[in-house]
Amino acid sequence: QVQLVESGGGLVQAGGSLRLSCAASGFILRLNAMAWYRQAPGKQRELVAMIASGGSTNYAESVKGRFTISKDNGKNTVYLQMNSLKPEDTAVYYCNANMYGPSWSKALDVWGQGTLVTVSS
């Protein structure tokens, strides 16, 4: 069974920084894209940033220039460096991975449990 474990959330003042980590474990044949989503109270879950297997990245307009997604292939881990945080960044952040494992028959979409980020004004 494959699972994603997130860490790094917490409370920070506006203008501050946080770094989220998400480690994938289990029988992984290949990680395709990995991404961070977030869901604020009363709102739909939205894509924050995504990194493809080749390293190309994509960001939501609201976080461009402030957030950076990166990964460590050897550790099956994706990171989200969040700088210049704003109160509107407050949300539960979820890690997502599209992967093959433990079978090549079908790619799986796996989600982490979420980590809360609270930005105070």
Side-chain angles (χ1 to χ4, degrees), residues 35-116:
W36 288 95
Y37 287 74
R38 67 186 180 187
Q39 188 166 19
K43 294 189 176 181
Q44 288 189 327
R45 190 173 297 189
E46 63 174 357
L47 175 67
V48 176
M50 180 170 61
I51 186 165
S53 57
S56 60
T57 58
N58 187 35
Y59 295 92
E61 285 295 327
S62 60
V63 306
K64 278 184 180 178
R66 300 188 297 123
F67 291 10
T68 302
I69 189 170
S70 61
K71 61 176 179 170
D72 184 329
N73 291 329
K75 295 181 179 179
N76 288 334
T77 299
V78 65
Y79 306 96
L80 185 68
Q81 177 66 42
M82 305 185 293
N83 299 328
S84 302
L85 282 160
K86 304 174 180 179
E88 50 264 44
D89 294 318
T90 295
V92 177
Y93 283 70
Y94 296 92
C95 179
N96 170 267
N98 184 270
M99 65 175 70
Y100 284 100
S103 166
W104 287 106
S105 63
K106 182 181 177 182
L108 302 177
D109 234 16
V110 182
W111 290 89
Q113 80 284 0
T115 185
L116 177 63

